[in-house]
Amino acid sequence: GGHGEVVIIAEYDGVTLRSMVDWMRDTTCLDDLKTTGKSASPDNVPYVMADGEWALQAAIQERILDVLDPSGRGRRHHFFYLQENEDPYEVTVSELPEATLTKGRLMLDKAIEIWRDCMTNNRWPGYARIIHRPTYPAYMEARLVEQLMGGEDE
């Protein structure tokens, strides 16, 4: 039971928050499908989770639903299904622990603070206006040196 692609919107502390829930069984049980071209093994989930900012997504949805359905506050469960893009399409199901959700809530509070400052002051900071001189990440540089020294076949 439930509904797919549910758009949820609410005003929180003067800021409009919006999100789309992949599958909402009810306002306390939310499911989200993520796909990857890499491994969906439980060992890889933390990296995909951090890169995809699942904790921030869960925090936004939680905050919106706390406004829309205060009776569900503290009882929400966010399930993330990480599925591989290739056969056999393995899936790992995860529920974020409270410590991870707390990080997401802090990230959301900071984002709201930045947004409010931008809107209030019409100041939209971006990247530094300088010429950047990027270098190879250490692991790529080591691989390149190894290849150039003839120690690794392509």
Side-chain angles (χ1 to χ4, degrees):
H3 301 281
E5 296 187 339
V6 178
V7 175
I8 54 175
I9 303 170
E11 184 175 314
Y12 173 82
D13 199 23
V15 174
T16 301
L17 301 176
R18 178 186 184 278
S19 185
M20 182 164 40
V21 180
D22 283 355
W23 189 261
M24 184 184 294
R25 295 183 235 176
D26 59 44
T27 61
T28 63
C29 195
L30 313 172
D31 298 306
D32 193 83
L33 175 65
K34 304 293 187 188
T35 60
T36 181
K38 298 180 180 180
S39 172
S41 76
D43 292 338
N44 198 40
V45 169
Y47 302 100
V48 178
M49 174 199 69
D51 190 49
E53 296 187 342
W54 296 1
L56 179 59
Q57 175 186 329
I60 292 168
Q61 292 174 351
E62 175 187 71
R63 191 77 51 94
I64 293 168
L65 290 170
D66 283 353
V67 171
L68 300 176
D69 175 31
S71 67
R73 187 182 316 261
R75 300 184 305 115
R76 304 200 199 285
H77 298 276
H78 302 266
F79 296 96
F80 290 87
Y81 299 75
L82 181 61
Q83 181 178 25
E84 294 174 0
N85 290 338
E86 296 182 18
D87 192 26
Y89 307 103
E90 288 287 337
V91 176
T92 296
V93 181
S94 303
E95 182 175 14
L96 303 185
E98 185 60 31
T100 301
L101 291 171
T102 298
K103 289 176 182 72
R105 292 175 191 123
L106 293 171
M107 291 166 60
L108 177 58
D109 290 341
K110 184 64 176 176
I112 289 171
E113 177 186 318
I114 292 168
W115 178 254
R116 182 177 290 112
D117 182 61
C118 290
M119 293 294 289
T120 301
N121 299 310
N122 195 28
R123 183 175 50 90
W124 304 89
Y127 299 120
R129 302 294 187 238
I130 62 172
I131 296 174
H132 296 270
R133 292 179 176 81
T135 60
Y136 277 97
Y139 77 95
M140 291 180 78
E141 185 170 356
R143 184 183 333 156
L144 178 60
V145 168
E146 182 69 26
Q147 288 173 349
L148 293 173
M149 299 301 289
E152 186 177 301
D153 294 331
E154 291 199 28

